[in-house]
Amino acid sequence: MVIKISKVLVANRGEIALRIMRSCREMGIKTVAVYSEVDRTSMHVRYADRAYSIGPAPSNESYLNIEKIIEVAKLSKVDAIHPGYGFLSENATFCQRCQQEGIIFIGPSPEVIRTMGDKITARSTMLKSGVPVVPGTNTKLTDDEKVVDIINKIGLPVMIKASAGGGGKGMRLVEKKSEILSSLRGARSEAKTAFGDDTVYIEKYIASPHHIEFQILGDQYGNVIHLCERECSVQRRHQKVVEETPSPIMNAELREKMGQHAIAAAKAVNYYGAGTIEFLVDDQLNFYFLEMNTRLQVEHPITERVTGYDIVKQQILIAEGSPLEIKQEQVIQFGHAIEARIYAEDTDNNFMPSPGLVTHITEPLGLGVRTDGYVFEGYRIPMDYDPMISKLIVSAPTRNEAIERMRRALYEYKITGVKTNIKFLERIMDCPDFKEGNYNTHFIKNNETFLLASDEAKIQFEDLAIVTAFMDYHHKTKKCRNGFNQTGKPSRWKDFHRSQNVKRIN
Ligand code: MV4
């Protein structure tokens, strides 16, 4: 049965809230925003048809507040809730609660979220359905002495991972026999603190893997397709920085094989919605199931660029109960797409978050460029959430041209008031290993010297630099927003020139 969704509550903030609302608008679906106190003037609030305050800045009291969000959903009479990524997107309890209240959760079933959230269950489910998993353990391990025996059998090095973890949290690499017990205890206590569950499992360590994930779409009638892969090996401390598709190491045969396994993985759990199957791929091109993400991912736009499909729209259609309209044979990749994540962070100071007032922002435009952001001039990036400012997505017919386009777009990107990683991203694009497509998950670590080299500060866009300095001055002196002071008058250039001793421009 198909139920038309006519109003959606977006239980998220920032760029992804905006991204979801854009698809809703195109589909003629009304949008309801929720916001915390610090997000009152945020872009997603302005963009939505309606907006409701849900509590103070801390996520626990706002974007993670299930009761409050359900209350707003009922009050505003929405048909569905889109959770975005992070926050409640992989919370089975929230998903179930929506169902109980007769609200459509735009995502998979609570059972699947639960299965995939428990990494041991996910592994054993994949093993049973013939999807290759990293050699390791598939049951809950309680006796530490037995774990030592098992590790000795698997052979070092191994990874100890938290079953309730994922994305690198509560993970330990063990290389020496003497380290086994202390690493095991360390991993357990870290997992206990972070997830309230100290269950761990063991995997053989894959030395220099690629992180390659497949985007899948499944409907509520058992049809599953994949939209090819994304290469996500450019990461820093399990935080993705650059993603691209196709993967430089992919070939048609491997794509076909991995794609079929990704589909089998989804079918094994009767998956519906959009999801991602993550694989580790070693230098021999052996691949192993790692985790499944049961949500829309940050890096979904690169897949949209090369396949042409709107993944959020597909999520909504699936949630309405429509059968998948895309057939696997129709899916083609056109050209190459790269995403770079723009963070408000200080790359020269251990990548410390750098929240604060954005005094100027000019985003790149032009052929093959997309930005998914939410920040505007005069916006204060709060310190309470992820410091991602936007995602810059470029596409071009070939990988080399996509890299050139990314460099051009990064050159055009101007942000003042907060520190950003834009220069760092430019150096990634200039890095020989990246340009040659010769990189794995150790790329940033292996190229640290090159990537962190601080070149001479040079002012590009000289006139614009002066204008942005003016905006900076203006905001600092007048404590105002959006280019106007409290009296509504713009600051005077005359005063600015006197204070700055800069060349006058007309
Ligand atoms: C691994 C691995 C090597 N061998 N598992 C890190 C994040 C989490 N999703 C799994 N991770 C890894 N698991 C085995 N058996 C190496 C990593 C890993 C990694 C994976 C993907 C992207 C970046 C990474 C950086 C360091 C380690």
Side-chain angles (χ1 to χ4, degrees):
M1 196 180 61
V2 180
I3 305 165
K4 267 274 169 246
I5 292 173
S6 59
K7 200 193 275 187
V8 168
L9 183 151
V10 180
N12 215 303
R13 65 179 302 282
E15 68 85 20
I16 198 63
L18 204 55
R19 161 71 192 89
I20 293 159
M21 290 180 195
R22 282 179 162 144
S23 286
C24 290
R25 198 159 282 276
E26 289 180 14
M27 296 172 79
I29 296 171
K30 292 252 180 298
T31 53
V32 174
V34 290
Y35 61 92
S36 72
E37 273 161 28
V38 283
D39 276 339
R40 185 170 296 277
T41 59
S42 220
M43 193 55 102
H44 75 285
V45 175
R46 300 173 177 212
Y47 192 92
D49 294 302
R50 289 274 182 282
Y52 294 84
S53 167
I54 50 166
S59 305
N60 279 332
E61 299 175 61
S62 49
Y63 298 105
L64 290 173
N65 188 340
I66 294 179
E67 289 316 311
K68 192 77 194 171
I69 290 167
I70 295 288
E71 185 192 316
V72 170
K74 291 205 277 198
L75 184 74
S76 58
K77 299 191 166 61
V78 297
D79 311 301
I81 296 181
H82 196 307
Y85 54 68
F87 297 125
L88 295 169
S89 61
E90 291 175 290
N91 185 315
T93 308
F94 178 64
C95 175
Q96 207 155 22
R97 191 63 209 285
C98 290
Q99 287 188 346
Q100 282 162 3
E101 299 289 348
I103 303 162
I104 297 170
F105 177 85
I106 302 174
S109 66
E111 295 77 25
V112 169
I113 296 176
R114 216 162 262 135
T115 302
M116 292 305 176
D118 183 297
K119 304 305 169 191
I120 294 177
T121 313
R123 265 178 70 83
S124 50
T125 307
M126 291 309 134
L127 199 65
K128 266 185 262 161
S129 48
V131 180
V133 299
V134 188
T137 61
N138 300 294
T139 53
K140 297 200 186 300
L141 305 168
T142 43
D143 184 351
D144 283 0
E145 296 306 319
K146 268 199 199 123
V147 175
V148 177
D149 284 348
I150 290 166
I151 291 177
N152 284 327
K153 271 196 205 102
I154 294 171
L156 290 167
V158 296
M159 290 284 241
I160 304 176
K161 298 184 178 183
S163 188
K169 272 177 266 157
M171 215 171 69
R172 283 280 200 292
L173 166 62
V174 186
E175 293 178 289
K176 294 197 211 94
K177 237 178 173 160
S178 59
E179 295 166 352
I180 296 178
L181 264 179
S182 65
S183 297
L184 185 58
R185 292 198 181 113
R188 279 204 201 281
S189 81
E190 203 175 303
K192 187 83 190 169
T193 311
F195 318 110
D197 175 0
D198 68 357
T199 312
V200 296
Y201 62 105
I202 314 296
E203 278 182 1
K204 177 115 198 84
Y205 178 63
I206 311 295
S208 299
H210 286 252
H211 173 133
I212 296 181
E213 56 188 32
F214 273 71
Q215 176 69 55
I216 65 117
L217 293 174
D219 66 19
Q220 298 187 40
Y221 311 96
N223 305 302
V224 180
I225 60 162
H226 74 80
L227 300 182
C228 305
E229 81 282 2
R230 294 185 286 259
E231 166 77 65
C232 307
S233 296
V234 181
Q235 305 197 4
R236 194 189 155 271
R237 301 206 176 155
H238 308 302
Q239 177 96 272
K240 290 171 190 162
V241 181
V242 171
E243 304 96 350
E244 65 176 312
T245 183
S247 163
I249 64 161
M250 193 53 67
N251 60 60
E253 192 194 339
L254 183 61
R255 182 176 295 117
E256 171 66 22
K257 216 161 50 172
M258 290 180 75
Q260 287 316 309
H261 279 298
I263 289 173
K267 285 190 171 171
V269 291
N270 297 315
Y271 197 86
Y272 62 79
T276 303
I277 313 289
E278 292 184 357
F279 293 100
L280 287 181
V281 183
D282 69 18
D283 40 20
Q284 258 61 251
L285 300 186
N286 297 308
F287 59 91
Y288 308 95
F289 169 85
L290 191 60
E291 289 172 16
M292 177 171 196
N293 299 313
T294 57
R295 58 163 193 275
L296 178 68
Q297 285 199 273
V298 177
E299 60 272 24
H300 77 277
I302 55 171
T303 299
E304 296 185 324
R305 293 285 312 196
V306 298
T307 64
Y309 297 112
D310 174 341
I311 295 172
V312 173
K313 180 177 184 174
Q314 292 303 317
Q315 285 187 296
I316 294 170
L317 293 174
I318 291 163
E320 285 180 334
S322 303
L324 264 183
E325 57 191 16
I326 310 163
K327 303 275 165 273
Q328 189 65 59
E329 314 83 74
Q330 296 175 307
V331 177
I332 51 155
Q333 293 164 294
F334 178 83
H336 201 96
I338 307 176
E339 172 179 277
R341 299 190 190 187
I342 315 291
Y343 288 103
E345 64 187 10
D346 186 355
T347 53
D348 296 330
N349 189 11
N350 202 25
F351 297 78
M352 280 264 288
S354 171
L357 182 69
V358 175
T359 51
H360 176 80
I361 178 163
T362 300
E363 300 199 276
L365 290 166
L367 182 61
V369 176
R370 162 178 172 181
T371 60
D372 273 25
Y374 75 109
V375 169
F376 53 89
E377 198 162 281
Y379 176 74
R380 185 178 290 280
I381 298 169
M383 51 176 235
D384 310 84
Y385 312 105
D386 188 271
M388 195 172 76
I389 296 173
S390 84
K391 305 180 308 206
L392 170 55
I393 305 108
V394 302
S395 60
T398 65
R399 184 172 189 271
N400 280 339
E401 290 165 295
I403 293 172
E404 286 165 2
R405 186 156 285 162
M406 181 60 89
R407 291 173 81 257
R408 184 269 288 178
L410 288 167
Y411 167 79
E412 290 178 12
Y413 223 130
K414 300 291 163 196
I415 299 172
T416 63
V418 298
K419 295 206 163 74
T420 75
N421 66 336
I422 291 175
K423 279 270 170 288
F424 183 72
L425 294 170
E426 285 181 337
R427 286 193 286 267
I428 291 177
M429 294 302 132
D430 288 341
C431 193
D433 278 353
F434 184 80
K435 285 205 275 199
E436 286 155 26
N438 172 32
Y439 67 89
N440 55 45
T441 47
H442 302 308
F443 168 74
I444 290 183
K445 193 161 37 93
N446 289 348
N447 289 278
E448 215 161 31
T449 339
F450 185 94
L451 296 174
L452 290 175
S454 61
D455 43 15
E456 219 178 291
K458 64 168 190 246
I459 298 177
Q460 300 163 328
F461 269 64
E462 210 161 283
D463 284 359
L464 185 58
I466 293 170
V467 173
T468 61
F470 173 69
M471 291 307 298
D472 225 7
Y473 157 83
H474 178 70
H475 283 284
K476 278 181 187 137
T477 54
K478 304 293 179 189
K479 290 201 174 58
C480 62
R481 290 206 305 258
N482 299 337
F484 293 91
N485 61 25
Q486 289 98 330
T487 63
K489 291 194 193 107
S491 293
R492 295 188 306 175
W493 277 94
K494 200 170 73 182
D495 301 335
F496 169 64
H497 287 301
R498 213 175 283 141
S499 78
Q500 301 283 306
N501 188 29
V502 293
K503 182 183 74 172
R504 183 143 200 166
I505 57 159
N506 296 305

